Amino acid sequence: MKPYEDPELFENTSIAFSYRTDAELRQARWLFKLIENPSIVTFGKKILPLADKLHIPYHWIVKKTIFRQFCGGETMQESLPTIERLYQFGVKSILDYSVEGKDSEDDFEHTCLKIIEIIRFSKDKPAIPFAVFKMTGIGRFALLEKVSKQCPLTANELKEWERVQSRVNSICAEAALCNLPVMIDAEESWIQPAIDTLAEEMMWKYNTDKPVVYTTLQMYRHDRFEYLKTLLLRARELNRKIGVKIVRGAYMEKERERARQLGYTDPIQPDKASSDRDYDYALRLVVDNLHQFGLVAGTHNEESCRVLMRAMADYNVHNDDPRVYFSQLYGMSDHLSFNLAALRYNVVKYVPFGPVHDVLPYLIRRAEENTSVAGQTGRELSLINKELKRRNLIE
């Protein structure tokens, strides 16, 4: 039986939680039971910003609970023990500077320099094979929206856009110099055209011999599979490589609500089955043309992992081929990450870091995601309970 045909493949909790102590596993169980309740998550989303305004100290409790579950630390150095611990079990890391909500030129410049610092910090560490950044971390959302709509820019906006382009190029140039691939995250559809344009420019500039710059495709959008095929044709014409991270997506409710309010065609797939279909089609297209690609498959979906494993076997791609990575978020889906790593597939976890106050929006999103995604928290809890029973820690 091939590993991807084994129905018990992702049920091995001994492997999945091998890096977790008994105390950590108990705390994870408590936390997932807590965020299983939508009303608690909603309450936390409202009360924490209020506590911030009233200067009520809460950072210590956040850091000991949800921050510890989903983040590596407040700094790169503080995150290193987590990264080294994952690496002992064959799972690599991406240091993700998850500070959000900044919108000044000073903030953008600071974030740009931080990404470059991460690249330099990571370049000689085999445990950290990628860097990543969001375009809204280095440029103003409204400006990206205006560029995406192809609206005329004022003289000041043109200078501002040039600074954004310069920051992107600085990051990608450093990635090329340090031989560390960098991924550009996808964001909302109404700013994505500007992101796509910059990502393509950087790929065609730096991806000469191998993928250095990776773009991201959200397959819950109904146009992204066709866009992937267009990228492939363009790369062939230019004799360039494509770096691509394939995900399902993170803004569905916001996208649908905006489309409804403004009366334009919903960019989201009509149903989950369509998203799953395009996601899996994209995996097979990439593996079928792997000489042209570097792939990071960002997924918490067991069946999509099997699809990629099957595609790799069909095309005689070795499990540890450096052009193919599976990816999950730190603190989630360890049953995928560690069981895949045990079979010597390349696996990388997003390990967010940053000051507790600044990563709070990220943490709230993780809690909301686990609450809203059907079966996500239940699946995490059932696997944790299974391992606790195996360790004779609960009845």
Side-chain angles (χ1 to χ4, degrees), residues 130 181-184 203 211-216 243-245 294-296:
F130 297 95
V182 62
M183 296 185 287
I184 302 173
M203 284 198 293
V212 173
V213 180
Y214 281 61
T215 191
T216 302
V244 62
K245 180 176 68 170
L295 169 67
V296 176

Side-chain angles (χ1 to χ4, degrees), residues 317-334:
V317 177
H318 292 161
N319 290 13
D320 61 352
D321 190 301
R323 296 170 294 180
V324 181
Y325 272 81
F326 295 79
S327 180
Q328 288 82 41
L329 298 171
Y330 179 67
M332 294 171 61
S333 298
D334 287 340

Side-chain angles (χ1 to χ4, degrees), residues 359-375:
V359 302
L360 205 55
Y362 172 86
L363 293 172
I364 290 170
R365 268 210 319 282
R366 290 289 74 80
E368 288 178 323
E369 178 180 299
N370 277 279
T371 302
S372 65
V373 176

Side-chain angles (χ1 to χ4, degrees), residues 99-110:
V99 172
E100 302 180 7
K102 308 294 185 181
D103 59 4
S104 72
E105 285 293 294
D106 285 345
D107 289 327
F108 297 145
E109 199 61 35
H110 172 77

